[in-house]
Amino acid sequence: MRIRIVDAFTDRPFAGNPAGVLLLDASTSFPDDAWLQNVALEVNHAETAFAHPLPAGGDADWALRWFTPAAEVAMCGHGTLATAHVLATTGAARGPVRFATRSGVLIATPHDDGSITLDFPTAPLTPVEVPQGVAEALGAEPLSAHDTGPSVGDLLIELADEKTVLGLSPDLASLARHSERGIIATARAADPAEGYDFVSRCFFPNIGIDEDPVTGSAHTALAPFWSQRLGRTGLTGRQASSRSGLVRTELRGDRTLLTGRAVTVIEGELLA
């Protein structure tokens, strides 16, 4: 079968977040979980997405799962964007695609300009006390902390400014004790004229990802967090990893729209 590496939430190669994408043959089920996990470990990117078409007439068009090199995850924005990009660019699907996932039905809508909009559930934010040890593990003093709910599974930490977020060099072993998946560190953009409203970095040591390049699922929590503070439903976030990427967000109540681009950089044949 064909396997592709797609850079998501970017319009140029070698930026954004790379994901493996495998389109499987029509089937009523996925291959064995151990095989899926081994392929994801071999690809060794933040996530590898596996999708197979579903029978016509149902609630969804494709079944979709995502694996990190260490574990299956309940939600993955960049893996969904990468899969939708492959479906659109290869002609395997046309127009909006409904994916059946562990997080419900997620819809990806391609646009004429090459961008794709994902319709994801908005993460429920719950203010919490900053856990003891988080400031020391991050190396920065939090302004606030929020739990992001079971689907995302992160602790969202607001920091003083963009410079503080960019300068983080966290103790990842210590951070792993404070959330199910990891930590989202965020701050308001220093200069919105640069083209983004807020900045973030995401550290996920619990699922084998020290720092994720661009995290779509995290923006389902960042969108309501910053929309409330900035007074707008439509925002752009910059995830400031070494590869970096932009995510346009539109808050619509219990749904969040995530829009970005993707680029296929490698296509090959999986022999195992």
Side-chain angles (χ1 to χ4, degrees):
M1 67 190 71
R2 306 303 291 171
I3 183 168
R4 297 167 176 87
I5 305 299
V6 177
D7 290 344
F9 292 115
T10 182
D11 59 359
R12 57 189 175 87
F14 315 124
N17 201 350
V21 178
L22 281 88
L23 302 184
L24 306 169
D25 293 335
S27 172
T28 57
S29 63
F30 284 94
D32 182 77
D33 284 5
W35 183 84
L36 297 173
Q37 188 64 72
N38 280 332
V39 172
L41 180 60
E42 189 79 7
V43 173
N44 203 33
H45 283 312
E47 265 89 10
T48 298
F50 301 88
H52 70 74
L54 294 171
D59 294 333
D61 309 302
W62 288 73
L64 177 62
R65 295 171 70 182
W66 316 275
F67 286 76
T68 78
E72 185 173 8
V73 296
M75 183 188 295
C76 177
H78 88 278
T80 306
L81 179 62
T83 304
H85 169 78
V86 170
L87 291 174
T89 55
T90 62
R94 299 187 183 279
V97 178
R98 301 168 299 167
F99 293 108
T101 78
R102 287 175 56 183
S103 293
V105 175
L106 307 177
I107 301 174
T109 302
H111 305 292
D112 292 341
D113 65 357
S115 65
I116 295 172
T117 296
L118 309 178
D119 183 337
F120 271 42
T122 300
L125 296 181
T126 304
V128 296
E129 293 293 326
V130 177
Q132 186 174 0
V134 165
E136 292 78 10
L138 275 176
E141 192 64 38
L143 299 182
S144 68
H146 288 74
D147 180 85
T148 60
S151 292
V152 176
D154 297 331
L155 183 66
L156 189 154
I157 296 292
E158 180 188 8
L159 297 176
D161 51 36
E162 180 173 342
K163 181 179 179 181
T164 302
V165 173
L166 298 182
L168 292 176
S169 183
D171 179 339
L172 295 169
S174 295
L175 280 186
R177 297 194 291 267
H178 297 294
S179 67
E180 180 181 345
R181 182 174 71 165
I183 300 290
I184 305 168
T186 187
R188 188 177 302 207
D191 181 6
E194 293 292 327
Y196 54 93
D197 301 289
F198 59 88
V199 65
S200 67
R201 290 175 68 188
C202 294
F203 307 100
F204 302 143
N206 286 337
I207 56 171
I209 303 168
D210 288 347
E211 181 170 5
D212 199 34
V214 189
T215 314
S217 59
H219 283 75
T220 67
L222 289 163
F225 182 85
W226 285 112
S227 289
Q228 182 182 29
R229 282 156 178 75
L230 300 178
R232 288 181 285 126
T233 58
L235 300 169
T236 298
R238 175 187 175 229
Q239 193 157 327
S241 65
S242 59
R243 294 173 63 100
S244 191
L246 295 175
V247 183
R248 299 202 308 272
T249 67
E250 179 72 31
L251 185 63
R252 294 190 177 178
D254 64 354
R255 308 296 296 184
T256 294
L257 304 184
L258 310 173
T259 300
R261 297 174 179 271
V263 181
T264 301
V265 293
I266 296 174
E267 181 175 351
E269 186 175 0
L270 180 65
L271 301 176

